[in-house]
Amino acid sequence: MTMNGDAPKENEYDRAKEVKEFDESKIGCKGLVDSGATTIPRFFIHPNPQSLQLTQSSSSHLIPTIDLSHALSHRRSELIHQIRCASHTWGFFQVIHHDIPISVIEDTISAVRSFNELPTEIKSQHYHREMDSSVSFQTNFDLYVSSAASWRDTLQVRLGPEPPELDRIPDSCWRELMEWGVHVRRVGEVLMGLLSEGLGLEKGKLEELTCLEGRHLVAHYYPYCPQPDLTLGIASHTDPGVLTVLLQDQVGGLQVKHGEEWVEVKPMHGAIVVNIGDLLQMMSNDEYKSVDHRVLANPFREPRISIGVFFNPCKRGDADYFGPLPELLCDGKVAHYRDFTMAEFMGRLFSIELGSLVNHFKL
């Protein structure tokens, strides 16, 4: 592989070979930067890099900010309305007063940074693509099927329903990530109740459907990119699950598609980003929207760090089907999606590059 990104001649380029060599080197994007790369390998280059420049955010809009402290007050009904509107119109919102201490937020971000800035020979011991493992570290889960790789490295930890293999989580961050998982589950429980009530359902409906139990943490590290105009930190996609709770640092780069514009999700100290996933859009029969979002490649010397926790239902059995909730299909309302099993949903997810799943199940 040409580690410094020098492009071979067109008729000599073997994309599959270069991707495989990069993956087997286990150095990640951070390793390329540390090696002194001044250009990016060809398989990171977006197929249409001009579009990245033409669609930069020009909107003055801001995604909604919602105060969760009202969840237990007389203003709960107002809060439910705010979350319903944000989930229907934007699919994204930020929450404040969520009861997670600032010290926990800062420690979590710092721990992820510390792991990614370990020497490559130490980090590479954690780098693998074993699908059945509860912990993995890699560059792009869809590296081999994507049209262009994204400039980031990711540590993944499956938090539930079964606890992760603690001895496989790096020593530099396992305590902080496990503590973060506890706090985020608590916030997720509050949000699931509010979202259920926003659909006119009982507060515990989404929890009853095990939507709190399948939790997957992804800690992204976006190092400096020497050619940020040619690639992305994460390509445009929707999240596949029910709900995502995301912690981001102050570097910025996350953008949400709103109408025809890309709107920046401006970092807000102490706030947490929340977005609707494909499963909840389908379960809500389009009352809530899972929207496209992306992360720009990082042009700054300071790395960008984000930690997302995806909430998903547990697989309860092959006969368990998901789709529009029956309670929402009354008064002549028609289902917009067919029913499907989680096995079918997950099989579809891992057979394609990062994107959107809702159209595959649309009626």
Side-chain angles (χ1 to χ4, degrees):
M1 181 181 69
T2 309
M3 299 298 267
N4 65 1
D6 292 339
K9 294 179 181 178
E10 186 71 32
N11 58 2
E12 296 177 356
Y13 181 62
D14 186 337
R15 176 188 174 84
K17 180 174 181 289
E18 188 171 345
V19 168
K20 187 171 186 291
E21 287 178 353
F22 166 77
D23 196 37
E24 291 180 348
S25 74
K26 301 185 177 183
I27 66 172
C29 294
K30 177 66 161 57
L32 289 176
V33 174
D34 290 345
S35 71
T38 57
T39 57
I40 63 176
R42 185 167 166 178
F43 61 86
F44 281 99
I45 297 176
H46 194 276
N48 184 18
Q50 294 81 4
S51 69
L52 306 183
Q53 295 301 310
L54 292 173
T55 56
Q56 297 300 304
S57 175
S58 61
S59 177
S60 60
H61 295 143
L62 296 174
I63 71 167
T65 298
I66 294 175
D67 185 344
L68 275 191
S69 67
H70 301 317
L72 298 177
S73 77
H74 66 282
R75 298 179 62 182
R76 182 177 175 87
S77 60
E78 178 185 339
L79 176 59
I80 292 169
H81 176 72
Q82 290 174 344
I83 286 183
R84 176 185 172 87
C85 290
S87 300
H88 180 78
T89 305
W90 282 87
F92 265 78
F93 51 93
Q94 297 203 70
V95 294
I96 57 175
H97 299 149
H98 40 64
D99 285 342
I100 301 180
I102 291 293
S103 60
V104 172
I105 288 175
E106 292 175 344
D107 288 348
T108 304
I109 292 173
S110 178
V112 171
R113 180 197 297 267
S114 295
F115 166 69
N116 281 276
E117 295 181 353
L118 289 171
T120 299
E121 58 268 24
I122 296 177
K123 284 191 302 180
S124 65
Q125 298 172 20
H126 298 278
Y127 193 107
H128 69 86
R129 296 183 181 276
E130 298 170 17
M131 293 291 291
D132 59 346
S133 173
S134 63
V135 182
S136 67
F137 174 60
Q138 59 194 227
T139 298
N140 297 199
F141 85 91
D142 60 345
L143 180 66
Y144 287 91
V145 297
S146 62
S147 56
S150 296
W151 196 257
R152 73 181 187 282
D153 300 324
T154 303
L155 176 66
Q156 302 188 56
V157 181
R158 188 171 63 240
L159 298 175
E162 301 299 324
E165 304 157 277
L166 292 180
D167 59 340
R168 300 196 68 167
I169 306 176
D171 291 341
S172 57
C173 60
W174 77 267
R175 289 181 181 84
E176 291 83 358
L177 293 184
M178 294 305 294
E179 182 178 1
W180 182 250
V182 172
H183 284 286
V184 169
R185 191 193 186 284
R186 191 176 302 123
V187 171
E189 184 175 3
V190 173
L191 291 168
M192 292 286 187
L194 294 164
L195 287 162
S196 293
E197 291 183 81
L199 293 172
L201 306 173
E202 293 293 327
K203 174 183 174 182
K205 181 61 179 181
L206 291 175
E207 184 173 357
E208 175 189 317
L209 295 172
T210 72
C211 293
L212 275 171
E213 300 311 310
R215 301 182 308 285
H216 194 87
L217 180 147
V218 292
H220 296 308
Y221 182 93
Y222 303 85
Y224 163 73
C225 181
Q227 293 179 297
D229 56 330
L230 297 182
T231 191
L232 288 163
I234 294 184
S236 176
H237 68 287
T238 59
D239 287 350
V242 173
L243 193 70
T244 303
V245 177
L246 178 79
L247 172 61
Q248 64 170 344
D249 65 10
Q250 299 301 299
V251 173
L254 174 61
Q255 295 183 336
V256 172
K257 193 73 175 292
H258 186 62
E260 297 304 313
E261 290 188 303
W262 285 105
V263 178
E264 180 185 3
V265 181
K266 294 183 178 180
M268 182 184 302
H269 187 60
I272 295 173
V273 180
V274 179
N275 66 279
I276 305 301
D278 292 346
L279 270 174
L280 188 50
Q281 174 169 333
M282 292 186 284
M283 292 167 70
S284 72
N285 207 34
D286 289 337
E287 288 299 321
Y288 296 152
K289 302 296 172 59
S290 177
V291 302
D292 286 306
H293 52 287
R294 68 182 187 181
V295 176
L296 301 181
N298 182 15
F300 306 109
R301 289 292 175 177
E302 180 183 0
R304 178 182 188 269
I305 293 163
S306 69
I307 301 101
V309 175
F310 303 114
F311 286 86
N312 305 291
C314 291
K315 183 181 177 183
R316 293 164 292 170
D318 291 334
D320 290 318
Y321 282 85
F322 289 85
L325 296 173
E327 296 93 326
L328 304 181
L329 301 179
C330 57
D331 300 325
K333 292 183 180 178
V334 178
H336 299 166
Y337 303 93
R338 65 178 176 84
D339 289 344
F340 50 87
T341 64
M342 280 305 296
E344 180 186 5
F345 183 84
M346 298 305 292
R348 180 67 180 174
L349 171 64
F350 288 109
S351 68
I352 60 174
E353 69 175 308
L354 200 63
S356 177
L357 291 172
V358 292
N359 288 335
H360 179 71
F361 298 98
K362 205 170 187 68
L363 290 172

